[in-house]
Every structure is written in structure tokens, then in C-alpha cells.
Amino acid sequence: MNAPAIVWFRNDLRIADNPALLAAARTGAPLVALYILDEESAGEWRAGAASRWWLHHSLAALSQSLAERGVPLTLRRGRAQYVFEQIIAETGADAVFWNRLYEPWAMRRDEEIDSQLREDGVQCHRFHEALLFEPEKLRTRQGESFRVFTPFWRACLAATPPKRPLPAPQELRAAPLPPDSDDLEAWRLLPQNPDWAVGMRNVWLVGETAARAELADFARHHVADYKSERDFMGRVGVSRLSPHLHFGEISPREVWRAISDPGSIGGEAYLRELGWREFCHHLLIAHWELPDRPLDRAFERFPYRDDEIALDAWRRGQTGYPLVDAAMRELWITGWMHNRARLVAASFLIKHLLIDWREGERWFWVTLVDADLANNSANWQWVAGCGADAAPYFRIFNPALQGEKFDPDGDYVRRYVPELARLDARYIHSPWAAPEPALREAGVRLGGTYPHPIVDHAKARERALAAFESMRGRASARPA
Ligand code: FAD
């Protein structure tokens, strides 16, 4: 009888368009479906609390889909190298199939496992599926990795287009004696006490089926208006597919195929955002230090401040700037934040509060259901002005003006900052400017029901620009 083959699921928690699963199924070998919770290898970048909540439900969904096809999902916890030793000894498997990951810790680990398994006579089959374009194949004319988005995206569009998504395997055959599995509940990925996931349960359906339905709905009803609607935080203008994409419940190729409609302005704008996802991964692969060090090394001398009180106010959505507070509370309640809100909230932390971008990056890591090492670190660096193709440092968002522009009726603020819900739209983004009767009528007491701004915008802006100048001064004064 054939020896079993192991399909190692990672951030590809789906059945359809899963090259590793399909290739393993096509060998005709009995399958062991395996997921390893390898927090040791991930180290400080192991999944944060909100991602663990998502992972629990995503694994439950995958386990059910596999069970319907007769294959149990084996769950094991520990360093993947050791888990493989055990599973191979237990099952006699002679092949392992997996789809590649691009986090530096995972790339390092996977190389080790690949050589360890080959030494032991186990074949390794690795596939590319997490990105639309193979990152190693995209190079500048000088043969280097890209640091600027527009030429990068041009190179992507000129490359061989993404392949058609693969079908789900028609038939899966389980190994006759599947290895024992851990109990998912016992992993305690869900919050225990207190249960802070109520808001997340209310807004998300997790798993491959839900992801496909979300994509279909977005492609049918919203993508046409994506370009004009995507910045409005109180409206349904974006796809909210990011956690599904991060956990691989849907493949970028499926999204590409559903959205590609030549000549559609909304579609083109949307594919360009998928392009940013590709670019962030391209950057992380070329710069493993991306999550920890500014790509522009001059920023290593940036005079950030330690200010626990301000950092805490930012995290809790108590800065006195309604748009920033709505953003941070949306994150806390739902595990997600609208992109425009991410830009404003991140900029506020870095520039108004002069707090190191890595503090924000780490808070997002813990609280986002779509926390993704490449997207998170590249975007934080972008906002901080220290990344590749970054926003110029001196472009400092005014949160009140951003609110007036992209949340004109205040719907977004009203939803997440209920203590301001009755305030007239004229003042909802700057309650400090409201006349006393307007505040009284809306039941708002500044410094009581809602905080005064923790910094003054104009002064904070000046302070940020001065800090930037002092960094530049230090950079140019540096001995050659
Ligand atoms: P849509 O607008 O519908 O876009 C479709 C898809 O394109 C997204 O699902 C995402 O995969 C990709 N995408 C869109 N914008 C970007 C972008 N700027 N960079 C990279 N990919 C993008 N995205 C994450 O997936 N994980 C993160 O941890 C993350 N952290 C961020 C931190 C900051 C400070 C900022 C400014 C942005 C961050 N983003 C992150 C990017 C972006 O905000 C989210 O991908 C987007 O808001 C997800 O919502 P959506 O699926 O509705 O996006």
C-alpha cells in the first residue's frame, strides 16, 4: 500500500485553489492533513490575540470541510521540526506538500525542515500560491528588488498574468490510521475571561465559504464604485477581505479572477491595492529587518518620545480627536480598521504624539484580525516616512479635516464614539470648536463625557516638523 503523504496547512486554510492539497491528492496517496501551531519558531511574531480568535474559527471551518471529504485535520502544537519527526514516525509518510510562506522566520524554518526531511528520505513539494506574482521573478533592470511601487506594479502587469485558480480536489483519501490530533478548544486560542470577542463575532463570518460569499457580493455590488467610495469610512466601499486573504481562506488568484474586468475603473483601482499587498511582501522578502528597523536608516536617529500616558490614550481611543478615537475603537471592537482610518490613526501616533511607529505596529499586531507581517510593517514604515516609497514625513494629516472629507456626516464617528452621536455634523470632528449650547444639547461635556484633545494640532505639527529637522541635522552632521 502507498505510504501516506502529509499536506501541511499554514496560511492557506482552504480546499479550493490550494496547489499543495491538489498535488498531494493527485498522487493518489492516502493523506494526512496537518496544521502545526508553531509559536516557538514565530517568536515575537506569533499570532496576536485577535488573530488567534480568527485562527480558531478558521481551523474549525477547514476541519469541517476536510471531514466532509473524509479526511480529519490533525492539529499539533510545538516546533514544526519536532512535530514532523513524530508524525513521520507515527505514519510512515514519505512525502510532504506545502505552500510557501514569506515571513522571514517561516522561510528560515521551512528551509531547515526541507533539508531535514530530504536527509531522512522524505520528499518535499513546495508551491507558490500566497501571492499573484512570484516575488523572486520581479526585478528592476539592475537586477535588484523594487523600492518604488509604481515601477513594481508596472513590472507585475507586464509579467505573465496570474494563472487561473485551481479546482478543489474531487476526491481525497485519508490515511487509514490518521495520527492523534490535539483538541482545538484546548489550544485556548479564544479569549477566556473576559470574553472580548463579542464585537468580532457580530461582524465576521470566518472560513472559506464565508470568504467566497464576501468576494462574490463585493464583485457584484461594490467593486464598480471602489475608486470613488474606498476612502469613506462610514460606507461599504471596501471589500474587507484582508483577514480572509491573510489566512488564505481565499487565494489572491481567486480574487484577481473575480475582479478582473478589463476597462472597469473600480476593478483596476482594486487590483492596484492587491498590488500593494504584493509590494509589501516583496519588501519583506528583500528586507527581513522590515518589522524592526526603518528602511531609511536616517530614521534610526529620529527623536521619538516615551509617553506611556499618550500611548495609552491612543490605544483606548481617548485622544479627544473623534476620528482617531473612532478608528482605535473600531479596531478594539471588531479587530479591523478601515484603511483611511489606519492612515490617520497611525499618522497621529507617529507625528502628533511623536511616538515610535514600532509601538503602533505592535499594537496593531495584537488587535488586528488581519495582522500580517508584510502589510503591517511596510505600511507603518510608509506612514512614518521611513519606508520604501514612503509618504513624505512633512505631510501631516489633520484628523479633523480628514474626518470632514471622508466621514462628512460623521456616521463613522457616531458608530464608534457613541458619546458624540448626537452632536451636529458641523462639530462632530472638532467638538472643541462647538459652541457650549450645541455641546449641551448633544449631552457632551468636554473633559467629562469626552476628553479634551490630548495635543493641539498646530503645536503638534510644529513639534513634529522640528523633530524631523533635528533628525536631518543629525544625519548631515554625522561624520562621513
Ligand atoms: P480593500 O480596500 O478591499 O483592498 C483589497 C485588498 O488589498 C486588501 O484585503 C489587502 O489584502 C490589500 N490591500 C489594500 N490596501 C493595502 C495596503 N495599503 N497595503 C497592503 N495591502 C493592501 N493590511 C493587512 O492585510 N494587514 C495588516 O496588518 C495591515 N496593517 C496596516 C497598518 C497600517 C498602519 C496601514 C496604514 C495599513 C495596513 N494594512 C494592513 C493595509 C490596509 O489598511 C488593509 O489591507 C485594508 O484596510 C484591508 O481592508 P480591505 O480588505 O477592505 O481592503
Side-chain angles (χ1 to χ4, degrees), residues 218 226 230 237-243 245-246 255 270-278 280-281 336-344 346-347 364-365 368 370-383:
F218 181 75
Y226 180 76
R230 61 180 292 256
V238 294
S239 69
R240 297 171 63 93
L241 283 174
S242 49
L245 276 164
H246 171 75
V255 180
Y270 188 86
L271 296 182
R272 197 178 158 84
E273 292 311 309
L274 285 184
W276 274 99
R277 177 176 180 272
E278 301 281 313
C280 294
H281 284 78
W336 184 87
M337 194 197 285
H338 189 283
N339 182 61
R340 171 62 44 184
R342 290 185 207 209
L343 291 168
V344 176
S347 166
F364 272 29
W365 186 257
L368 277 172
D370 66 17
D372 179 282
L373 199 58
N375 292 352
N376 198 38
S377 39
N379 275 285
W380 273 98
Q381 291 224 20
W382 190 88
V383 178

Short mmCIF file of all heavy atoms in Angstrom, two decimals, residues 218 226 230 237-243 245-246 255 270-278 280-281 336-344 346-347 364-365 368 370-383, ligand 1:
data_model
loop_
_atom_site.label_atom_id
_atom_site.label_comp_id
_atom_site.label_asym_id
_atom_site.label_seq_id
_atom_site.Cartn_x
_atom_site.Cartn_y
_atom_site.Cartn_z
N PHE A 218 -19.00 41.47 -3.07
CA PHE A 218 -18.24 42.68 -3.39
C PHE A 218 -18.10 42.85 -4.90
O PHE A 218 -18.29 43.94 -5.44
CB PHE A 218 -16.86 42.62 -2.72
CG PHE A 218 -16.02 43.83 -2.99
CD1 PHE A 218 -16.30 45.03 -2.34
CD2 PHE A 218 -14.98 43.79 -3.90
CE1 PHE A 218 -15.54 46.17 -2.60
CE2 PHE A 218 -14.22 44.92 -4.16
CZ PHE A 218 -14.50 46.11 -3.51
N TYR A 226 -15.60 51.23 -6.31
CA TYR A 226 -14.48 51.16 -5.36
C TYR A 226 -13.63 52.42 -5.36
O TYR A 226 -13.29 52.97 -4.32
CB TYR A 226 -13.64 49.92 -5.67
CG TYR A 226 -12.46 49.74 -4.74
CD1 TYR A 226 -12.63 49.28 -3.44
CD2 TYR A 226 -11.16 50.05 -5.16
CE1 TYR A 226 -11.55 49.12 -2.59
CE2 TYR A 226 -10.08 49.89 -4.32
CZ TYR A 226 -10.28 49.43 -3.02
OH TYR A 226 -9.21 49.28 -2.19
N ARG A 230 -13.83 54.11 -1.74
CA ARG A 230 -12.94 53.36 -0.85
C ARG A 230 -12.41 54.14 0.33
O ARG A 230 -11.96 53.58 1.31
CB ARG A 230 -11.76 52.78 -1.65
CG ARG A 230 -10.89 53.80 -2.33
CD ARG A 230 -9.78 53.11 -3.06
NE ARG A 230 -8.86 52.49 -2.12
CZ ARG A 230 -7.67 52.97 -1.80
NH1 ARG A 230 -7.22 54.08 -2.36
NH2 ARG A 230 -6.90 52.37 -0.93
N GLY A 237 -17.53 50.61 1.22
CA GLY A 237 -16.82 50.88 -0.03
C GLY A 237 -15.68 49.94 -0.31
O GLY A 237 -15.16 49.90 -1.41
N VAL A 238 -15.28 49.18 0.72
CA VAL A 238 -14.11 48.29 0.56
C VAL A 238 -14.55 46.84 0.77
O VAL A 238 -15.67 46.57 1.21
CB VAL A 238 -12.98 48.67 1.55
CG1 VAL A 238 -12.41 50.03 1.22
CG2 VAL A 238 -13.48 48.63 2.99
N SER A 239 -13.63 45.92 0.45
CA SER A 239 -14.07 44.51 0.41
C SER A 239 -14.00 43.79 1.75
O SER A 239 -14.61 42.75 1.92
CB SER A 239 -13.21 43.74 -0.59
OG SER A 239 -11.87 43.62 -0.10
N ARG A 240 -13.21 44.28 2.70
CA ARG A 240 -13.00 43.61 3.99
C ARG A 240 -12.52 42.17 3.81
O ARG A 240 -12.83 41.28 4.60
CB ARG A 240 -14.29 43.64 4.83
CG ARG A 240 -14.73 45.06 5.18
CD ARG A 240 -16.09 45.08 5.80
NE ARG A 240 -16.11 44.36 7.06
CZ ARG A 240 -15.93 44.91 8.24
NH1 ARG A 240 -15.72 46.21 8.34
NH2 ARG A 240 -15.97 44.19 9.34
N LEU A 241 -11.77 41.95 2.76
CA LEU A 241 -11.27 40.58 2.53
C LEU A 241 -9.92 40.32 3.21
O LEU A 241 -9.41 39.21 3.16
CB LEU A 241 -11.11 40.33 1.02
CG LEU A 241 -12.41 40.06 0.26
CD1 LEU A 241 -12.15 39.99 -1.24
CD2 LEU A 241 -13.07 38.76 0.73
N SER A 242 -9.34 41.36 3.85
CA SER A 242 -7.95 41.21 4.31
C SER A 242 -7.72 40.03 5.26
O SER A 242 -6.74 39.30 5.09
CB SER A 242 -7.44 42.52 4.92
OG SER A 242 -8.37 43.04 5.84
N PRO A 243 -8.59 39.77 6.26
CA PRO A 243 -8.29 38.60 7.09
C PRO A 243 -8.44 37.29 6.33
O PRO A 243 -7.67 36.34 6.54
CB PRO A 243 -9.29 38.69 8.24
CG PRO A 243 -10.34 39.67 7.81
CD PRO A 243 -9.73 40.54 6.77
N LEU A 245 -7.78 36.89 3.21
CA LEU A 245 -6.57 36.75 2.39
C LEU A 245 -5.37 36.37 3.26
O LEU A 245 -4.57 35.53 2.90
CB LEU A 245 -6.27 38.07 1.67
CG LEU A 245 -7.02 38.29 0.36
CD1 LEU A 245 -6.95 39.75 -0.07
CD2 LEU A 245 -6.46 37.39 -0.74
N HIS A 246 -5.28 36.98 4.43
CA HIS A 246 -4.13 36.67 5.29
C HIS A 246 -4.12 35.19 5.67
O HIS A 246 -3.07 34.54 5.64
CB HIS A 246 -4.13 37.53 6.56
CG HIS A 246 -3.09 37.06 7.53
ND1 HIS A 246 -1.74 37.30 7.34
CD2 HIS A 246 -3.17 36.29 8.64
CE1 HIS A 246 -1.05 36.73 8.31
NE2 HIS A 246 -1.89 36.10 9.11
N VAL A 255 -9.40 36.11 -6.10
CA VAL A 255 -9.85 37.50 -6.02
C VAL A 255 -9.56 38.19 -7.34
O VAL A 255 -10.42 38.87 -7.92
CB VAL A 255 -9.15 38.24 -4.84
CG1 VAL A 255 -9.62 39.67 -4.77
CG2 VAL A 255 -9.40 37.51 -3.52
N TYR A 270 -8.95 48.47 -7.58
CA TYR A 270 -8.91 47.39 -6.59
C TYR A 270 -7.68 46.50 -6.80
O TYR A 270 -6.98 46.16 -5.84
CB TYR A 270 -10.21 46.56 -6.67
CG TYR A 270 -10.29 45.55 -5.55
CD1 TYR A 270 -10.82 45.92 -4.32
CD2 TYR A 270 -9.80 44.26 -5.71
CE1 TYR A 270 -10.86 45.01 -3.27
CE2 TYR A 270 -9.85 43.36 -4.67
CZ TYR A 270 -10.38 43.75 -3.45
OH TYR A 270 -10.41 42.84 -2.42
N LEU A 271 -7.43 46.15 -8.06
CA LEU A 271 -6.27 45.28 -8.33
C LEU A 271 -4.97 45.98 -7.91
O LEU A 271 -4.02 45.35 -7.46
CB LEU A 271 -6.22 44.89 -9.80
CG LEU A 271 -7.40 44.03 -10.28
CD1 LEU A 271 -7.23 43.66 -11.74
CD2 LEU A 271 -7.58 42.77 -9.44
N ARG A 272 -4.97 47.29 -8.04
CA ARG A 272 -3.78 48.06 -7.62
C ARG A 272 -3.55 47.90 -6.11
O ARG A 272 -2.42 47.83 -5.65
CB ARG A 272 -4.02 49.54 -7.98
CG ARG A 272 -2.79 50.37 -7.97
CD ARG A 272 -3.15 51.79 -8.40
NE ARG A 272 -2.14 52.71 -7.93
CZ ARG A 272 -1.01 52.97 -8.56
NH1 ARG A 272 -0.77 52.39 -9.71
NH2 ARG A 272 -0.12 53.80 -8.05
N GLU A 273 -4.63 47.82 -5.34
CA GLU A 273 -4.47 47.60 -3.89
C GLU A 273 -3.93 46.20 -3.63
O GLU A 273 -3.10 46.01 -2.74
CB GLU A 273 -5.80 47.81 -3.15
CG GLU A 273 -6.29 49.23 -3.16
CD GLU A 273 -5.21 50.24 -2.76
OE1 GLU A 273 -4.58 50.05 -1.71
OE2 GLU A 273 -5.00 51.21 -3.51
N LEU A 274 -4.40 45.23 -4.42
CA LEU A 274 -3.77 43.90 -4.29
C LEU A 274 -2.29 44.01 -4.63
O LEU A 274 -1.46 43.29 -4.09
CB LEU A 274 -4.42 42.90 -5.24
CG LEU A 274 -5.81 42.36 -4.88
CD1 LEU A 274 -6.22 41.30 -5.90
CD2 LEU A 274 -5.85 41.76 -3.48
N GLY A 275 -1.99 44.95 -5.55
CA GLY A 275 -0.59 45.21 -5.90
C GLY A 275 0.21 45.69 -4.69
O GLY A 275 1.36 45.32 -4.51
N TRP A 276 -0.41 46.51 -3.84
CA TRP A 276 0.28 46.96 -2.63
C TRP A 276 0.57 45.78 -1.71
O TRP A 276 1.61 45.72 -1.06
CB TRP A 276 -0.53 48.04 -1.89
CG TRP A 276 -0.24 49.40 -2.44
CD1 TRP A 276 -1.00 50.09 -3.34
CD2 TRP A 276 0.90 50.22 -2.16
NE1 TRP A 276 -0.40 51.29 -3.62
CE2 TRP A 276 0.77 51.41 -2.90
CE3 TRP A 276 2.02 50.09 -1.34
CZ2 TRP A 276 1.71 52.44 -2.87
CZ3 TRP A 276 2.97 51.11 -1.29
CH2 TRP A 276 2.80 52.27 -2.05
N ARG A 277 -0.36 44.85 -1.68
CA ARG A 277 -0.11 43.64 -0.86
C ARG A 277 1.11 42.89 -1.40
O ARG A 277 1.99 42.46 -0.65
CB ARG A 277 -1.37 42.76 -0.92
CG ARG A 277 -1.25 41.44 -0.18
CD ARG A 277 -2.59 40.68 -0.21
NE ARG A 277 -2.48 39.43 0.49
CZ ARG A 277 -2.08 38.29 -0.07
NH1 ARG A 277 -1.78 38.26 -1.37
NH2 ARG A 277 -1.99 37.18 0.64
N GLU A 278 1.19 42.79 -2.74
CA GLU A 278 2.35 42.14 -3.35
C GLU A 278 3.63 42.90 -3.01
O GLU A 278 4.65 42.33 -2.67
CB GLU A 278 2.20 42.12 -4.88
CG GLU A 278 0.98 41.40 -5.41
CD GLU A 278 1.11 39.89 -5.43
OE1 GLU A 278 2.14 39.37 -5.90
OE2 GLU A 278 0.16 39.22 -4.96
N CYS A 280 4.29 44.93 -0.51
CA CYS A 280 4.70 44.79 0.91
C CYS A 280 5.44 43.47 1.10
O CYS A 280 6.46 43.41 1.81
CB CYS A 280 3.48 44.83 1.83
SG CYS A 280 2.63 46.42 1.83
N HIS A 281 4.96 42.41 0.47
CA HIS A 281 5.63 41.11 0.61
C HIS A 281 7.00 41.14 -0.07
O HIS A 281 7.98 40.59 0.44
CB HIS A 281 4.75 39.99 0.06
CG HIS A 281 3.62 39.65 1.00
ND1 HIS A 281 2.49 40.41 1.11
CD2 HIS A 281 3.51 38.67 1.92
CE1 HIS A 281 1.71 39.89 2.05
NE2 HIS A 281 2.30 38.84 2.56
N TRP A 336 -10.58 45.04 13.27
CA TRP A 336 -10.25 45.52 11.93
C TRP A 336 -10.39 47.03 11.93
O TRP A 336 -11.07 47.59 12.80
CB TRP A 336 -11.26 44.90 10.94
CG TRP A 336 -11.05 45.18 9.50
CD1 TRP A 336 -10.26 44.50 8.62
CD2 TRP A 336 -11.70 46.22 8.72
NE1 TRP A 336 -10.36 45.05 7.36
CE2 TRP A 336 -11.24 46.09 7.39
CE3 TRP A 336 -12.62 47.22 9.02
CZ2 TRP A 336 -11.66 46.94 6.37
CZ3 TRP A 336 -13.04 48.08 8.00
CH2 TRP A 336 -12.56 47.92 6.69
N MET A 337 -9.74 47.69 10.99
CA MET A 337 -9.89 49.14 10.88
C MET A 337 -9.84 49.50 9.40
O MET A 337 -9.06 48.92 8.64
CB MET A 337 -8.74 49.84 11.62
CG MET A 337 -8.96 51.32 11.86
SD MET A 337 -7.41 52.18 12.28
CE MET A 337 -7.14 51.66 13.94
N HIS A 338 -10.68 50.44 9.02
CA HIS A 338 -10.72 50.91 7.63
C HIS A 338 -9.35 51.50 7.25
O HIS A 338 -8.70 52.12 8.08
CB HIS A 338 -11.81 51.98 7.53
CG HIS A 338 -12.11 52.39 6.13
ND1 HIS A 338 -11.28 53.23 5.42
CD2 HIS A 338 -13.11 52.07 5.28
CE1 HIS A 338 -11.79 53.43 4.21
NE2 HIS A 338 -12.90 52.72 4.10
N ASN A 339 -8.95 51.32 5.99
CA ASN A 339 -7.61 51.77 5.58
C ASN A 339 -7.39 53.27 5.82
O ASN A 339 -6.34 53.69 6.31
CB ASN A 339 -7.35 51.43 4.12
CG ASN A 339 -5.97 51.85 3.69
OD1 ASN A 339 -4.97 51.39 4.23
ND2 ASN A 339 -5.89 52.78 2.74
N ARG A 340 -8.37 54.09 5.48
CA ARG A 340 -8.20 55.54 5.67
C ARG A 340 -8.01 55.84 7.15
O ARG A 340 -7.19 56.66 7.56
CB ARG A 340 -9.44 56.26 5.08
CG ARG A 340 -9.59 57.73 5.33
CD ARG A 340 -8.50 58.63 4.80
NE ARG A 340 -8.06 58.35 3.46
CZ ARG A 340 -7.05 59.00 2.86
NH1 ARG A 340 -6.40 59.97 3.48
NH2 ARG A 340 -6.69 58.67 1.64
N ALA A 341 -8.78 55.12 7.99
CA ALA A 341 -8.66 55.31 9.44
C ALA A 341 -7.29 54.84 9.92
O ALA A 341 -6.69 55.45 10.81
CB ALA A 341 -9.78 54.56 10.15
N ARG A 342 -6.77 53.75 9.33
CA ARG A 342 -5.43 53.28 9.72
C ARG A 342 -4.40 54.37 9.43
O ARG A 342 -3.48 54.60 10.22
CB ARG A 342 -5.05 52.01 8.95
CG ARG A 342 -5.84 50.79 9.36
CD ARG A 342 -5.36 49.51 8.66
NE ARG A 342 -6.48 48.57 8.58
CZ ARG A 342 -6.38 47.25 8.58
NH1 ARG A 342 -5.22 46.66 8.64
NH2 ARG A 342 -7.46 46.49 8.51
N LEU A 343 -4.56 55.01 8.28
CA LEU A 343 -3.59 56.05 7.91
C LEU A 343 -3.61 57.20 8.91
O LEU A 343 -2.58 57.68 9.36
CB LEU A 343 -3.89 56.58 6.50
CG LEU A 343 -3.65 55.60 5.34
CD1 LEU A 343 -4.25 56.14 4.05
CD2 LEU A 343 -2.14 55.37 5.16
N VAL A 344 -4.83 57.63 9.26
CA VAL A 344 -4.96 58.79 10.15
C VAL A 344 -4.50 58.43 11.57
O VAL A 344 -3.75 59.18 12.21
CB VAL A 344 -6.42 59.31 10.16
CG1 VAL A 344 -6.58 60.45 11.16
CG2 VAL A 344 -6.83 59.77 8.76
N ALA A 346 -2.48 56.03 12.52
CA ALA A 346 -1.03 55.77 12.58
C ALA A 346 -0.26 57.09 12.51
O ALA A 346 0.68 57.31 13.27
CB ALA A 346 -0.63 54.86 11.42
N SER A 347 -0.69 57.96 11.62
CA SER A 347 -0.02 59.25 11.48
C SER A 347 -0.12 60.04 12.80
O SER A 347 0.84 60.68 13.23
CB SER A 347 -0.67 60.00 10.33
OG SER A 347 -0.31 61.34 10.35
N PHE A 364 -1.17 47.07 16.67
CA PHE A 364 -1.97 46.54 15.56
C PHE A 364 -1.79 45.01 15.47
O PHE A 364 -2.72 44.28 15.17
CB PHE A 364 -1.55 47.18 14.24
CG PHE A 364 -2.27 48.46 13.90
CD1 PHE A 364 -2.76 49.30 14.89
CD2 PHE A 364 -2.47 48.84 12.57
CE1 PHE A 364 -3.41 50.50 14.58
CE2 PHE A 364 -3.13 50.02 12.24
CZ PHE A 364 -3.59 50.85 13.25
N TRP A 365 -0.57 44.57 15.72
CA TRP A 365 -0.29 43.14 15.61
C TRP A 365 -1.17 42.33 16.57
O TRP A 365 -1.69 41.28 16.23
CB TRP A 365 1.20 42.86 15.92
CG TRP A 365 1.55 41.44 15.68
CD1 TRP A 365 1.72 40.48 16.63
CD2 TRP A 365 1.71 40.79 14.42
NE1 TRP A 365 1.99 39.26 16.03
CE2 TRP A 365 1.98 39.44 14.67
CE3 TRP A 365 1.64 41.24 13.09
CZ2 TRP A 365 2.19 38.51 13.65
CZ3 TRP A 365 1.85 40.32 12.08
CH2 TRP A 365 2.11 38.97 12.36
N LEU A 368 -5.39 43.32 15.46
CA LEU A 368 -5.99 43.16 14.12
C LEU A 368 -6.28 41.69 13.83
O LEU A 368 -5.42 40.83 14.06
CB LEU A 368 -5.03 43.63 13.04
CG LEU A 368 -4.95 45.11 12.68
CD1 LEU A 368 -3.77 45.36 11.72
CD2 LEU A 368 -6.25 45.62 12.06
N ASP A 370 -6.53 40.86 10.77
CA ASP A 370 -5.78 40.67 9.52
C ASP A 370 -4.29 40.95 9.70
O ASP A 370 -3.58 41.17 8.71
CB ASP A 370 -6.37 41.52 8.38
CG ASP A 370 -6.21 43.03 8.61
OD1 ASP A 370 -5.40 43.45 9.45
OD2 ASP A 370 -6.91 43.80 7.91
N ALA A 371 -3.82 40.95 10.98
CA ALA A 371 -2.40 41.29 11.22
C ALA A 371 -1.51 40.45 10.31
O ALA A 371 -1.57 39.22 10.33
CB ALA A 371 -2.04 41.06 12.68
N ASP A 372 -0.69 41.13 9.55
CA ASP A 372 0.10 40.46 8.53
C ASP A 372 1.48 41.12 8.55
O ASP A 372 1.57 42.34 8.41
CB ASP A 372 -0.60 40.66 7.17
CG ASP A 372 0.14 40.02 6.04
OD1 ASP A 372 1.16 40.59 5.58
OD2 ASP A 372 -0.28 38.93 5.62
N LEU A 373 2.52 40.31 8.74
CA LEU A 373 3.84 40.89 8.99
C LEU A 373 4.27 41.82 7.85
O LEU A 373 4.78 42.92 8.10
CB LEU A 373 4.87 39.78 9.20
CG LEU A 373 6.14 40.21 9.90
CD1 LEU A 373 5.87 40.82 11.26
CD2 LEU A 373 7.11 39.05 10.03
N ALA A 374 4.06 41.40 6.62
CA ALA A 374 4.49 42.22 5.49
C ALA A 374 3.65 43.50 5.40
O ALA A 374 4.19 44.61 5.37
CB ALA A 374 4.38 41.43 4.19
N ASN A 375 2.33 43.34 5.38
CA ASN A 375 1.46 44.50 5.18
C ASN A 375 1.55 45.47 6.36
O ASN A 375 1.54 46.69 6.18
CB ASN A 375 0.00 44.07 5.03
CG ASN A 375 -0.24 43.33 3.73
OD1 ASN A 375 0.64 43.26 2.89
ND2 ASN A 375 -1.41 42.76 3.58
N ASN A 376 1.63 44.92 7.55
CA ASN A 376 1.63 45.79 8.72
C ASN A 376 2.93 46.58 8.80
O ASN A 376 2.92 47.80 8.90
CB ASN A 376 1.44 44.94 9.99
CG ASN A 376 1.00 45.76 11.18
OD1 ASN A 376 0.21 46.70 11.05
ND2 ASN A 376 1.50 45.42 12.35
N SER A 377 4.06 45.89 8.70
CA SER A 377 5.30 46.64 8.89
C SER A 377 5.56 47.59 7.72
O SER A 377 5.99 48.73 7.94
CB SER A 377 6.50 45.71 9.14
OG SER A 377 6.43 44.58 8.34
N ALA A 378 5.28 47.16 6.50
CA ALA A 378 5.53 48.06 5.36
C ALA A 378 4.65 49.31 5.46
O ALA A 378 5.10 50.42 5.18
CB ALA A 378 5.28 47.34 4.04
N ASN A 379 3.40 49.13 5.88
CA ASN A 379 2.51 50.29 5.96
C ASN A 379 2.88 51.22 7.11
O ASN A 379 2.78 52.44 6.99
CB ASN A 379 1.05 49.85 6.08
CG ASN A 379 0.44 49.58 4.71
OD1 ASN A 379 0.12 50.51 3.98
ND2 ASN A 379 0.32 48.32 4.34
N TRP A 380 3.29 50.65 8.25
CA TRP A 380 3.71 51.52 9.35
C TRP A 380 4.94 52.33 8.92
O TRP A 380 5.04 53.52 9.19
CB TRP A 380 3.99 50.71 10.62
CG TRP A 380 2.73 50.53 11.42
CD1 TRP A 380 1.90 49.45 11.42
CD2 TRP A 380 2.12 51.50 12.29
NE1 TRP A 380 0.82 49.67 12.23
CE2 TRP A 380 0.94 50.92 12.79
CE3 TRP A 380 2.46 52.79 12.71
CZ2 TRP A 380 0.08 51.60 13.67
CZ3 TRP A 380 1.61 53.45 13.59
CH2 TRP A 380 0.44 52.86 14.07
N GLN A 381 5.85 51.66 8.24
CA GLN A 381 7.05 52.41 7.78
C GLN A 381 6.64 53.47 6.76
O GLN A 381 7.22 54.56 6.72
CB GLN A 381 8.06 51.45 7.15
CG GLN A 381 8.70 50.53 8.15
CD GLN A 381 10.21 50.38 7.94
OE1 GLN A 381 10.85 51.21 7.31
NE2 GLN A 381 10.78 49.33 8.51
N TRP A 382 5.67 53.14 5.94
CA TRP A 382 5.22 54.08 4.92
C TRP A 382 4.69 55.35 5.59
O TRP A 382 5.05 56.48 5.23
CB TRP A 382 4.13 53.42 4.06
CG TRP A 382 3.77 54.21 2.84
CD1 TRP A 382 4.36 54.16 1.62
CD2 TRP A 382 2.71 55.19 2.74
NE1 TRP A 382 3.75 55.04 0.75
CE2 TRP A 382 2.74 55.69 1.42
CE3 TRP A 382 1.76 55.69 3.62
CZ2 TRP A 382 1.85 56.66 0.96
CZ3 TRP A 382 0.88 56.66 3.18
CH2 TRP A 382 0.92 57.14 1.86
N VAL A 383 3.83 55.15 6.60
CA VAL A 383 3.25 56.32 7.28
C VAL A 383 4.34 57.10 8.02
O VAL A 383 4.34 58.33 8.03
CB VAL A 383 2.14 55.91 8.27
CG1 VAL A 383 1.59 57.12 9.01
CG2 VAL A 383 1.00 55.19 7.55
P1 FAD B 1 -9.59 46.67 0.22
O1 FAD B 1 -9.55 48.14 0.06
O2 FAD B 1 -10.84 45.98 -0.15
O3 FAD B 1 -8.34 46.09 -0.57
C1 FAD B 1 -8.27 44.73 -1.04
C2 FAD B 1 -7.06 44.05 -0.51
O4 FAD B 1 -5.88 44.68 -0.96
C3 FAD B 1 -6.95 44.03 1.00
O5 FAD B 1 -7.71 42.99 1.56
C4 FAD B 1 -5.46 43.84 1.21
O6 FAD B 1 -5.09 42.49 1.10
C5 FAD B 1 -4.87 44.60 0.03
N1 FAD B 1 -4.51 45.96 0.44
C6 FAD B 1 -5.27 47.07 0.41
N2 FAD B 1 -4.58 48.14 0.83
C7 FAD B 1 -3.35 47.69 1.13
C8 FAD B 1 -2.18 48.31 1.63
N3 FAD B 1 -2.10 49.63 1.88
N4 FAD B 1 -1.09 47.53 1.85
C9 FAD B 1 -1.11 46.22 1.60
N5 FAD B 1 -2.20 45.57 1.13
C10 FAD B 1 -3.30 46.30 0.91
N6 FAD B 1 -3.29 45.14 5.78
C11 FAD B 1 -3.27 43.85 6.18
O7 FAD B 1 -3.76 42.97 5.47
N7 FAD B 1 -2.70 43.51 7.37
C12 FAD B 1 -2.14 44.43 8.20
O8 FAD B 1 -1.60 44.06 9.26
C13 FAD B 1 -2.18 45.80 7.81
N8 FAD B 1 -1.69 46.77 8.62
C14 FAD B 1 -1.75 48.08 8.21
C15 FAD B 1 -1.21 49.08 9.04
C16 FAD B 1 -1.28 50.42 8.66
C17 FAD B 1 -0.68 51.48 9.55
C18 FAD B 1 -1.88 50.77 7.45
C19 FAD B 1 -1.95 52.20 7.01
C20 FAD B 1 -2.40 49.79 6.61
C21 FAD B 1 -2.33 48.45 6.97
N9 FAD B 1 -2.85 47.43 6.14
C22 FAD B 1 -2.78 46.11 6.55
C23 FAD B 1 -3.30 47.74 4.76
C24 FAD B 1 -4.78 48.06 4.59
O9 FAD B 1 -5.20 49.01 5.52
C25 FAD B 1 -5.67 46.81 4.73
O10 FAD B 1 -5.18 45.77 3.91
C26 FAD B 1 -7.10 47.12 4.30
O11 FAD B 1 -7.62 48.16 5.09
C27 FAD B 1 -7.95 45.88 4.45
O12 FAD B 1 -9.27 46.16 4.16
P2 FAD B 1 -9.99 45.61 2.86
O13 FAD B 1 -9.77 44.13 2.75
O14 FAD B 1 -11.39 46.09 2.89
O15 FAD B 1 -9.19 46.34 1.72
#
